[in-house]
Every structure is written in C-alpha cells, then in structure tokens.
C-alpha cells in the first residue's frame, strides 16, 4: 500500500522568508500524481500545486514550487516570500495513475505552518 | 464553472441517532465522488468513493454507509451514530481521465460532526 509521510508536524517562518515543507512517499508504481493541498482555518482543502511523476521539471505556481526527486521518492514544497495568508495546514498527497479508476488520494498527516509577523 | 457543496456545515448528534450528510456537485457530469474523514492529527482517511449512480466502494469497515441516488449527489449516512464517528467530513469530486485536472480532487466546505 502507498504511504505518504510528512515528518514535520509544525513549522514556523518569519513573514517574507522562505520555508520548505518535506514529504516522502512509498510506492512501487512508476506513474502517479503528487499534490500539495492547503487547509486554512476555514477547513476547506485548496490545491496548491500538482506534479505528474513522468515530468522531470519541477512544478511552480507563483511563490510555490516543488523539489520532486523521483528516485528518492521525495516531494518537498517551497514557499517563497511567506505571507500571513499562507498560515494553514499543508497536506502532501499521492494518487496512482490508474487510467480511469476512482482511486482517491492518499494523504500525509499534515504540517501546520505558522507565519510569524 | 464547477462547484461542490455539502451540508450541514455543523451537526451535533446524540449517540445512537441517525446521520445524513449530503453533497452535490454542479457544472460537471459523471464525476467520481468521494467521502473523506479527517480526525485530529491523522490526516484524511478515504471512506467511500463512487464512479457512478448506485456504485459505491468502501475503503474501510465502519458504522457508516454511502449512497449515490443521482449523478451529482452523494450522501453519507449512519443508522446509529457512535462516539467514534465524531470528526470532520469532506466530500470531494474528480473528473474523468483526459481532463486537464485528471487526478485532482476538488473539495467541499466540510461538515463538522460531534457525537455526544
């Protein structure tokens, strides 16, 4: 079974600084998706960034970027120029590419990100 | 554009009472639908998923059941709630293969259930 591990229960960063959240996963598959979701206090899950395993180029979305190391099964999220609105729980998630199956995402336990003003 | 709504947002129920959480999706057809439960410090656990009307797959044995009476409607139910059913429940949908968002889940606002 696939597992996703987030080893940092909580991280704290000063506003405007850069922070990196770690994620590792375990799978025997070669085709899959990886995601980072953000859950603010409102509790609604919001997609931050996604990465297809077949793509070697790391995904970026404005201030958010990932470091995808397929061989090491590592998928870290870097947040640059941290803002107060970035404070939230961040979940790393994995999904096998099943070509049409309805397999859900497998989530890590989350990292609580605190932004210090 | 697609939207997903679930209700009620908050629910307080006594042990042994029934449960019904409802979720609807607008702006898309034939979505895959999911129910997740989020417990403190434990991430999100997939409870049920559905690929079509009347088609329900259960990921874990539990006191809950799910139904999909219509294409874009997904219901989470229980006949008799247990204390351990307390938690935050999230409904989600995903598109079919070939869509640019293939693989991504879109979540509802969540429902907080407290069983006393």
């Amino acid at each position: 079974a696939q597992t996703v591990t987030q080893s940092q229960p909580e991280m704290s960063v000063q506003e405007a600084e850069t922070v990196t959240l770690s994620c590792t996963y375990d799978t025997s598959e070669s085709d899959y998706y990886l995601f980072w979701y953000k859950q603010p206090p409102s509790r609604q899950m919001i997609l931050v960034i996604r990465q297809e395993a077949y793509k070697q180029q790391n995904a970026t979305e404005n201030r958010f970027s990932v470091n995808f190391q397929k061989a090491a099964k590592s998928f870290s999220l870097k947040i640059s120029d941290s803002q107060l609105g970035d404070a939230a729980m961040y979940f790393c998630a994995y999904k096998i590419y099943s070509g049409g199956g309805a397999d859900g995402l497998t989530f890590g336990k989350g990292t609580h990100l605190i932004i210090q003003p | 554009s697609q939207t997903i709504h679930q209700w009620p947002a908050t629910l307080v129920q006594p042990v042994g009472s029934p449960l019904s959480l409802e979720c609807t999706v607008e702006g898309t057809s034939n979505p895959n639908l999911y129910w997740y439960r989020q417990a403190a410090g434990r991430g999100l656990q997939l409870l049920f998923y559905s690929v079509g009307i009347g088609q329900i797959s259960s990921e874990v044995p539990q006191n809950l059941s799910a139904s999909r009476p219509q294409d874009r409607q997904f219901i989470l139910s229980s006949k008799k709630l247990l204390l351990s059913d307390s938690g935050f429940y999230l409904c989600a949908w995903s598109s079919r293969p070939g869509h640019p968002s293939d693989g991504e889940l879109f979540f509802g606002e969540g429902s907080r259930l407290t069983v006393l």
Side-chain angles (χ1 to χ4, degrees), chain B residues 6-69:
Chain B
Q6 61 177 105
W7 67 93
T10 304
L11 197 59
V12 180
Q13 293 285 100
V15 170
S17 65
L19 170 73
S20 180
L21 300 179
E22 192 165 337
C23 172
T24 60
V25 181
E26 300 291 337
T28 188
S29 59
N30 201 24
N32 295 325
L33 296 172
Y34 306 83
W35 279 111
Y36 279 86
R37 177 167 58 199
Q38 185 177 20
R42 299 186 63 183
L44 279 78
Q45 179 186 37
L46 178 63
L47 301 176
F48 301 95
Y49 68 87
S50 171
V51 299
I53 296 174
Q55 300 179 63
I56 308 295
S57 296
S58 174
E59 288 294 301
V60 293
Q62 58 217 326
N63 184 44
L64 303 169
S65 62
S67 62
R68 185 170 178 174

